[in-house]
């Protein structure tokens, strides 16, 4: 996941020097990615929006300490995951995740279903079925262990390579693959339990 030409090293360096305009460019470029990871990890759009704001506050406060050899994208993802882990623990202590039903709605800015890019070729029934399937899978994701959810979100939903995930978690590529396989199998089991 290389930096786009829009967000090159010069923008990062300007941001490190305290340039607020450079920081705004970073926020605009990465906000959707951070929001998507947060939503997939927490399953609640409002919580994800709040968390994304916190992530960028952390980025602004600590970017001056970012070492040259660390890729910005990997660093940002690590900060996002750390915030997600902390928020998950906070919400769990407050019994936020009390429901065990995969049928419960998920709150998003579009109402009670995850957003999806509209495909004009879809008829209303197909569109509805796709949204329901996304909702079903999201509820299954929330039932996985945190590390399993992180792996699926990063690899299957965000498109990170095994190598990038390995760097994030300091794991050999083979270990990432086997842990991801286990996570997918566990998700499959969870979803199959709730099919009928």
């Amino acid at each position: 996941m290389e930096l786009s030409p829009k967000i090159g090293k010069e923008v990062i360096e300007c941001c490190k020097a305290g340039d607020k305009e450079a920081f705004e460019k970073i926020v605009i470029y990465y906000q959707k990615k951070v929001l998507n990871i947060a939503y997939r990890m927490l399953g609640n759009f409002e919580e994800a929006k709040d968390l994304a704001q916190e992530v960028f506050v952390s980025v602004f406060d600590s970017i001056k300490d970012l070492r040259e050899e660390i890729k910005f994208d990997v660093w940002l993802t690590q900060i996002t995951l750390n915030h997600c882990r902390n928020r998950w623990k906070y919400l769990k202590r407050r019994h936020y995740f009390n429901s065990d039903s995969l049928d419960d709605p998920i709150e998003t800015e579009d109402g009670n279903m995850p957003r999806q890019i509209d495909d004009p070729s879809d008829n209303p029934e197909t569109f509805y079925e796709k949204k329901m399937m996304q909702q079903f899978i999201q509820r299954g994701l929330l039932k996985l262990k945190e590390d399993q959810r992180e792996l699926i979100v990063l690899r299957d939903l965000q498109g990170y390579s095994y190598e990038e995930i390995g760097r994030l978690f300091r794991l050999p590529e083979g270990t990432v693959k086997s842990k991801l396989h286990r996570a997918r199998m566990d998700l499959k089991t969870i979803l199959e339990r709730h099919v009928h």
Side-chain angles (χ1 to χ4, degrees):
M1 304 228 150
E2 292 300 313
L3 291 178
S4 143
K6 296 176 193 167
I7 303 294
K9 287 186 178 176
E10 67 283 349
V11 175
I12 305 294
E13 290 307 313
C14 287
C15 190
K16 281 179 165 186
D19 183 332
K20 289 192 172 153
E21 215 173 279
F23 178 68
E24 282 177 30
K25 285 182 185 175
I26 288 171
V27 172
I28 289 165
Y29 186 75
Y30 283 104
Q31 64 188 351
K32 189 171 183 180
K33 176 188 183 113
V34 169
L35 185 62
N36 282 337
I37 292 173
Y39 173 69
R40 291 301 182 182
M41 292 301 297
L42 300 173
N44 178 288
F45 190 74
E46 290 305 314
E47 288 292 338
K49 277 197 325 193
D50 290 348
L51 187 133
Q53 288 179 344
E54 290 173 19
V55 166
F56 286 111
V57 167
S58 293
V59 166
F60 187 76
D61 289 345
S62 56
I63 195 165
K64 60 188 173 299
D65 301 323
L66 176 64
R67 295 192 316 273
E68 178 89 22
E69 71 273 12
I70 298 174
K71 277 178 64 179
F72 179 80
D73 193 62
V74 171
W75 180 72
L76 175 65
T77 301
Q78 190 64 61
I79 290 173
T80 304
L81 291 175
N82 287 341
H83 276 273
C84 287
R85 291 172 191 139
N86 292 338
R87 183 67 59 95
W88 182 269
K89 287 175 193 158
Y90 170 84
L91 292 171
K92 205 164 184 169
R93 279 195 308 271
R94 278 149 188 74
H95 308 290
Y96 179 82
F97 302 107
N98 274 348
S99 171
D100 284 344
S101 174
L102 285 174
D103 300 321
D104 288 349
I106 298 171
E107 297 169 35
T108 72
E109 69 177 4
D110 291 338
N112 286 336
M113 287 183 227
R115 286 183 297 156
Q116 174 181 320
I117 296 168
D118 195 3
D119 181 351
S121 67
D122 283 350
N123 62 40
E125 292 84 14
T126 306
F127 183 71
Y128 178 75
E129 283 172 14
K130 281 184 180 178
K131 282 202 168 226
M132 292 307 289
M133 182 55 72
Q134 281 187 338
Q135 179 184 19
F136 182 65
I137 291 169
Q138 179 63 40
R139 293 306 284 173
L141 273 174
L142 294 177
K143 294 190 177 304
L144 288 173
K145 293 178 194 161
E146 185 174 73
D147 62 329
Q148 291 183 315
R149 190 168 58 254
E150 289 173 356
L151 287 170
I152 289 178
V153 166
L154 293 178
R155 176 71 184 140
D156 297 336
L157 302 175
Q158 293 295 315
Y160 277 67
S161 69
Y162 293 113
E163 182 189 347
E164 288 169 322
I165 295 170
R167 268 188 268 137
L168 265 172
F169 294 106
R170 296 184 178 94
L171 293 171
E173 210 171 301
T175 305
V176 170
K177 286 179 180 177
S178 64
K179 283 178 171 287
L180 183 61
H181 176 73
R182 178 78 251 163
R184 287 171 176 157
M185 290 298 100
D186 287 355
L187 179 60
K188 184 177 178 215
T189 302
I190 289 166
L191 296 177
E192 284 173 347
R193 253 189 251 136
H194 292 88
V195 166
H196 299 291

